[in-house]
């Protein structure tokens, strides 16, 4: 047995599986069977997935669901979601239906400017560097023409480049801080290619013009996109919040309090925002976007004032309840996985082939709806009632319950509290 290997990437897929199964898995025949159960019979489709990343040994499925009845700026959407957590799609659908009869969601994209930076070290005189930068700036832009001309034709491109002095933080540290408009593309490749070209030109020209050398440390886009904010909002008269479990006014007040708690208490804010990301990540993933980039950017935004806080806000004013979200989202509807993954294409088709701006609004709504559903449960019945109902199916599947067993047990738990042990005990009772 050897737990390390060189040249793993050069093995064929079945050799890779053999190696991993032999060296890391105790029951090799079951492991092999499980891994191969997830292969797709359509060889072309399988090859497509194999080539998304390196060293693929199988596919990892996530459920792909749809939450219908989202009324956004007067247009009705069914929102595709890829997520494993059992209650998320149900919660989104419930919130969508609730707001559909109360005017729906209103949204607005405020701006779509993205940022990239060339980080470099220079220990010479700042004024000399500044003059050099101003002189070389037109050439920095001109040298990227081969990569920017198509984007410019469509109305996007490089917006500006600034020299930023960061020597207070690190000796000799400066940045070329560039802003971009990438239209319907998320733009990572476009931005990074431009930045690497800036770095090349900047260094080459500096060698001719400056006495002190420039050392390029790195060139990379930022996933912090505070200039890509989108807003979504719902509002209605307090009396329209009527719910079977609680009086409208009590519910509205409790709801606003719950949001206020997330605004001031970071322990609650993290969980509150996690619930928002349940909705956001599911749509981001279904539409082939980079959920890690979105997560990083959104959480940084949640702490932009030095303290981690809620991404949503609620108020009651003149008898009207308003609930809103403002988040930065850098999303794409062209390029990357959007042109490659067949289910991503379906997801975008379900949404009516949206522009990146339209997708930003849909995603923000998914986050707001998810948060509304979570807070509605938390401030009324408690979260476990809904969660455990959804979890019931997971437990039944874990015990490989038959169709008939599922029917009897689901029926039983319509009037009884779902707990893991109660479900197990019902299964055992039925099987005795
Ligand atoms: C669970 O995935 C998400 C919640 O914890 C969010 C929240 O507490 O607001 C229910």
């Amino acid at each position: 047995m050897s737990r390390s290997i060189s040249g793993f990437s050069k093995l064929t897929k079945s050799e890779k599986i053999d190696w991993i199964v032999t060296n890391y898995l105790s029951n090799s025949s079951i492991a092999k069977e499980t891994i191969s159960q997830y292969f797709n019979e359509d060889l072309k489709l399988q090859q497509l997935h194999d080539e998304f990343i390196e060293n693929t040994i199988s596919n990892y499925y996530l459920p792909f669901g749809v939450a219908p009845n989202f009324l956004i700026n007067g247009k009705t959407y069914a929102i595709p979601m890829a997520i494993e957590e059992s209650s998320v799609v149900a919660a989104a659908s419930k919130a969508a239906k609730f707001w559909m009869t109360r005017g729906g969601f209103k949204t607005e994209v405020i701006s779509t400017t993205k940022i990239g930076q060339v980080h470099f070290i220079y220990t010479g005189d700042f004024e000399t560097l500044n003059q050099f930068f101003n002189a070389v700036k037109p050439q920095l832009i001109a040298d990227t023409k081969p990569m920017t001309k198509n984007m410019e034709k469509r109305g996007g491109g490089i917006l500006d480049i600034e020299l930023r002095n960061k020597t207070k933080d690190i000796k000799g540290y400066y940045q070329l801080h560039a802003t971009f408009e990438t239209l319907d593309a998320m733009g990572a490749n476009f931005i990074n290619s431009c930045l690497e070209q800036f770095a090349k030109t900047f260094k080459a020209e500096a060698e001719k013009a400056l006495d002190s050398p420039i050392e390029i440390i790195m060139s990379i886009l930022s996933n912090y996109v505070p200039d890509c904010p989108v807003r979504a909002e719902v509002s209605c008269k307090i009396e329209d919040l009527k719910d079977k479990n609680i009086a409208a006014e009590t519910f509205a007040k409790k709801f606003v309090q719950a949001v206020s708690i997330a605004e001031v208490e970071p322990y609650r804010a993290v969980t509150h925002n996690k619930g928002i990301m349940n909705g956001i990540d599911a749509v981001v993933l279904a539409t082939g976007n980079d959920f890690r980039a979105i997560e990083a950017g959104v959480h940084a935004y949640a702490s932009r004032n030095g303290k981690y806080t809620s991404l949503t806000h609620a108020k009651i004013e003149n008898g009207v309840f308003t609930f809103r979200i403002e988040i930065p989202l850098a999303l794409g509807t062209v390029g990357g996985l959007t042109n490659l993954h067949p289910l991503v294409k379906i997801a975008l088709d379900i949404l009516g082939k949206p522009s990146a701006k339209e997708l930003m609004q849909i995603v923000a709504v998914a986050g707001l709806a998810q948060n509304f559903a979570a807070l509605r449960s938390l401030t009324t019945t408690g979260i476990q009632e809904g969660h455990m109902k959804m979890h019931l199916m997971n437990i039944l599947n874990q015990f490989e319950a038959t169709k008939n067993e599922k029917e009897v047990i689901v029926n039983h738990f319509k009037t009884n509290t779902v707990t893991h042990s109660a479900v197990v005990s019902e299964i055992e009772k039925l099987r005795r």
Side-chain angles (χ1 to χ4, degrees), residues 42 54 82 106 150 252 279 369:
D42 179 336
E54 280 153 19
K106 306 279 181 307
N150 280 340

Side-chain angles (χ1 to χ4, degrees), residues 85 268 271-272 274-275 278 371 374-375 378 383 387:
E85 191 173 324
R268 173 57 201 152
T271 319
H272 177 96
K274 186 272 181 191
N278 277 344
N371 192 219
L375 292 177
L378 286 167
I383 204 77
H387 261 204

Side-chain angles (χ1 to χ4, degrees), residues 387-414:
H387 261 204
M388 290 313 284
K389 282 231 160 87
M390 297 301 296
H391 193 49
L392 172 60
M393 212 33 87
N394 286 347
I395 305 172
L396 290 172
N397 285 334
Q398 218 176 317
F399 281 83
E400 295 182 358
T402 62
K403 196 167 162 236
N404 189 38
E405 285 173 332
K406 280 182 184 167
E407 243 171 61
V408 175
I409 293 173
V410 167
N411 207 29
H412 171 85
F413 282 105
K414 277 190 182 143

Side-chain angles (χ1 to χ4, degrees), residues 1-3 14-29 31-32 35:
M1 192 158 115
S2 164
R3 293 201 148 217
S14 85
E15 286 167 343
K16 285 188 186 100
I17 295 171
D18 280 344
W19 186 84
I20 202 88
V21 163
T22 312
N23 292 293
Y24 282 86
L25 295 163
S26 51
N27 192 331
S28 54
S29 61
K32 255 184 157 172
I35 289 169

Side-chain angles (χ1 to χ4, degrees), residues 152-276:
E152 279 172 5
K153 252 190 243 155
R154 285 180 270 132
I158 299 160
L159 300 177
D160 196 15
I161 316 173
E162 282 172 38
L163 173 68
R164 290 202 170 172
N165 185 341
K166 307 291 282 183
T167 52
K168 277 208 185 88
D169 299 323
I170 295 176
K171 186 169 179 282
Y173 172 32
Y174 294 89
Q175 300 167 346
L176 297 180
H177 182 97
T179 43
F180 300 86
E181 171 55 62
T182 62
L183 306 169
D184 284 336
M186 191 266 186
N189 282 332
F190 172 75
I191 294 174
N192 289 334
S193 300
C194 289
L195 294 171
E196 288 186 6
Q197 184 57 53
F198 294 161
K200 227 188 237 170
T201 304
F202 198 61
K203 187 169 170 58
E205 292 304 311
E207 269 162 20
K208 292 185 229 157
L210 296 177
D211 290 338
S212 294
I214 272 173
E215 188 193 359
I216 303 290
I217 303 297
M218 59 189 160
S219 310
I220 187 75
L221 93 168
S222 174
N223 290 125
Y224 185 43
V225 286
D227 295 328
C228 266
V230 50
R231 271 188 211 131
E233 182 180 299
V234 283
S235 69
C236 70
K237 287 202 202 108
I238 292 187
E239 58 262 34
D240 293 341
L241 286 172
K242 222 168 35 231
D243 193 295
K244 61 181 183 310
N245 298 306
I246 189 167
E249 186 153 356
T250 316
F251 169 62
K253 280 189 181 151
K254 273 186 93 174
F255 193 100
V256 172
Q257 285 285 23
V259 176
S260 310
I261 291 169
E263 284 169 341
V264 300
E265 167 54 57
Y267 280 99
R268 173 57 201 152
V270 171
T271 319
H272 177 96
N273 290 348
K274 186 272 181 191
I276 294 171

Side-chain angles (χ1 to χ4, degrees), residues 8-13 16 47-58:
F8 183 71
S9 66
K10 304 217 165 54
L11 300 181
T12 64
K13 186 157 137 191
K16 285 188 186 100
Q47 190 187 349
L48 180 74
H49 284 264
D50 285 346
E51 290 174 0
F52 281 147
I53 61 165
E54 280 153 19
N55 294 347
T56 39
I57 58 168
S58 191

Side-chain angles (χ1 to χ4, degrees), residues 121-138:
I121 300 291
Y122 165 81
T123 50
D125 171 55
F126 170 66
E127 236 349 280
T128 312
L129 177 70
N130 198 25
Q131 275 172 20
F132 165 70
F133 166 73
N134 286 322
V136 85
K137 188 171 160 179

